Amino acid sequence: MDLLTLLEMVATGMGDRVLVGERKDGLTGAQLRDRAATGGRLLAGTGARTVVYLGGNGPAFPVALFSAAAAHVPFLPLNYRLSDDQLREILARQEDAVVVTDTSERAERLAPHLTVLDLDGFLDRCASTVPNATLVSGGQEAVAVLLMTSGTTAAPKSAVLRHRHLTSYILGSVEFASAEETDATIVSVPPYHIAAVANLLSNLYAGRRIVYLDHFTAAEWLAVVRAQAITHAMVVPTMLSRIVRELQESAATAPPSLRSLSYGGAKVSAKVIADALRLFPGTGFVNAYGLTETSSSIAVLGPDDHREALDGDDPQVRLRLGSVGRALPHVTIEVQDDHGEPCAPGVVGDIVVRGAQVAGEYVEGGSRLDERGWFPTRDLGYLDQDGYLFVQGRADDTIIRGGENIAPAEIEEALTTHEAVLDCAVVGVPDEEWGQRIAAFVVVKPEHRCTVEEIRAHVRTRLRGSKTPDLVRFIEELPVTATGKVLRRNLVADFAVR
Amino acid sequence: MPLTVGSQLRSTSSTCEVVVVRAPGLEGTVYCGDAEMTSVAAGRPATGSTEGPAVVLGKRYEHQPSGLELLCVKPGPGPLTFNGAELVLKSAKPLPASD
């Protein structure tokens, strides 16, 4: 089973339904299929072995993704917000790739060895379709999508998702053509995120029209939801807390068309959820937990779970507002102790998962599945007696700020290049809006002085803005273990106390 | 013939095509009407049979005794049978949209 089979099903069963864009001039299922067939031939003609997508959200994203599948080459969406140096480094590792981009000049400058296709030109050429052009499957073992993870070291890894992983996720969680013709979803997660890939496939397969919002603001999001009578949406926690604040400040009522609002990607404060549930009384809330390496969601807290937790008397049930719900039917989640044995309910351990949608593979380093097929999520958590999963944080120290994974090591490396910095450690501290914020603990060299603003400016010029420490604190020395490892937990706890 | 999850089956007598969604350690032959279904890519039906109950696009069909489950990816006349028994339409269990 591969993505092209899904696309053919959509084109056969819902060929006339507009599925991407505005209802009056968007792409139908059949048009998307025909464009993918043409785009596939075009991409195959370049001899490329990877299709890099460097652009924003929009109809070009699905066309390029399915065209790559039709050309039997992996699709690699990259973050256009990366610095020139970071992008150059990633692009240098791609041999024989074609870059489809809305910033051709930048791509040509950063990767002179690659073929660059202008995104609008590509879309135009895909539109001149040949009727009934055939799509030939490249097999379910072929790599469908590559996604960069932030990794705990500064060098990002590429997660490998094969056709069978993505299609297993879809077949396991979505019913074909189950959406009503009037349904529509708004997508504001960036195209280089697993949520955008999963979202595209789920909604096409269900037959739900996708409306892209390229640059998120809460006001714009609400305006589009109202104007397009959006019924479904998926947001990251930072977006949710901004939508809540926008509604509270403007004293406006929530758009009544919205039947389902799903959120995920990072930890959300229970207060934001409770506020959101009250502001959207007619909306079903879904908390989704998943990883890039698991083809998106593996656990879901559904609408009824949310309302029962909000209104319930049972303290155990009320707690579930902070849970990510229960495992999807086609995956198994376990919490294991240090010996790989399942933990009792309520006991914190390593969250592991297995199932047909679990890829757990990287270009650098191969498969991370153990001999029993378990993939270690590297998240810590526990299951309650009814199988509800509570995620307690990352086993490693990755900071998740507004859904974006940030490796402390990269910021620490930048900090140590400052002439006054002797030692430093960067940790994530809990934050209601961002899930976590970046806190830098800095030890200044003797006879040196520097200010908070100098430290922040120093990092900002070397990394992108979202990696600039939100908080900087000067301390005399870092707490370390006997073996010299920084006790990050102590720093986080210390922060909470003050 | 071993039935492997993800493989696509077709016959020479119907336009119907299915994908194996679940086959817990199963071997055997799936029939569509009177014709064997195989994963061979060749042999598209020249003149598709029009007899037989419709196998519907996107629907799942199961053989409860064995746990075999098939998904229809191209519609056509059936019925689908396995081990002499007709597969039955599986009812959908709706999950909340998580993305």
Side-chain angles (χ1 to χ4, degrees), chain A residues 1 169 171 198-199 202 262 296-297, chain B residues 5-6 19 57-58 60 92 98-99:
Chain A
M1 187 70 175
Y169 169 66
L171 299 189
N199 186 292
S202 299
S262 105
S296 182
S297 309
Chain B
V5 169
V19 161
L57 179 68
R60 293 148 199 264
S98 66
D99 50 29

Side-chain angles (χ1 to χ4, degrees), chain A residues 1 5 9 12-13 140 169 171-176 198-199 202-203 205 232 234 260 262 286 288 296-297 300 303 329, chain B residues 4-8 19-22 57-60 69 71-75 90-99:
Chain A
M1 187 70 175
T5 308
M9 289 175 76
T12 306
Q140 64 172 350
Y169 169 66
L171 299 189
S173 62
V174 190
E175 193 61 27
F176 179 72
N199 186 292
S202 299
N203 286 301
Y205 192 70
H232 290 66
M234 192 268 158
S260 169
S262 105
V286 180
S296 182
S297 309
V300 163
Chain B
T4 38
V5 169
S7 63
Q8 198 160 334
V19 161
V20 180
V21 177
R22 221 157 66 86
L57 179 68
K59 296 292 183 193
R60 293 148 199 264
E69 187 179 324
L71 171 77
C72 173
V73 297
K74 278 189 186 157
K90 192 181 177 187
S91 60
K93 271 177 281 176
L95 283 169
S98 66
D99 50 29

